[in-house]
Amino acid sequence: MSTTAPAAFQFIVYAPDKTDAGAFQRRLSVREKHLENAKTLGSSGVIKMGAALLSPESIASPGAERKMIGSAMVFEAASLDEVKKIIESDIYYTTGVWDPEKLVILPFAGQVL
């Protein structure tokens, strides 16, 4: 009988924010809770990297205001369903920050270069 752990796969998640007038304020109002959860998942090795996506205008000039418009994350998990469950329980998902219609979760074969 094998005692090896189940295989872990890497997944990239693209989670753009909704574009309604209240989306950015919703993001800011729950951001600390989202970051606390992400840190916990990072400490356990589930999230390998996470970042806020910025609007192109955010880098148009040195003094430009940085506007967050979504999230990108790299997960390590046993299945796509496991990542989907984590994403769907995130406060950005449950409070309507992320746009579930545009959410993308894909497995990938990553390599540190």
Side-chain angles (χ1 to χ4, degrees), residues 59-98:
I59 61 167
S61 65
E65 180 183 352
R66 292 180 143 198
K67 184 175 182 211
M68 296 174 281
I69 59 168
S71 305
M73 295 154 282
V74 173
F75 280 77
E76 190 168 288
S79 69
L80 191 139
D81 283 339
E82 182 180 331
V83 176
K84 187 176 179 187
K85 286 178 186 173
I86 293 168
I87 292 296
E88 289 177 348
S89 69
D90 189 284
I91 197 161
Y92 278 177
Y93 189 95
T94 61
T95 60
V97 174
W98 288 333

Side-chain angles (χ1 to χ4, degrees), residues 23-84:
F24 186 64
Q25 188 54 46
R26 282 194 309 277
R27 171 181 269 274
L28 294 179
S29 71
V30 297
R31 187 165 189 258
E32 288 307 313
K33 272 197 149 178
H34 166 76
L35 292 175
E36 286 173 21
N37 185 53
K39 286 178 187 177
T40 299
L41 291 168
S43 295
S44 68
V46 175
I47 291 182
K48 298 300 186 180
M49 188 278 307
L53 299 174
L54 303 175
S55 69
E57 297 79 22
S58 297
I59 61 167
S61 65
E65 180 183 352
R66 292 180 143 198
K67 184 175 182 211
M68 296 174 281
I69 59 168
S71 305
M73 295 154 282
V74 173
F75 280 77
E76 190 168 288
S79 69
L80 191 139
D81 283 339
E82 182 180 331
V83 176
K84 187 176 179 187

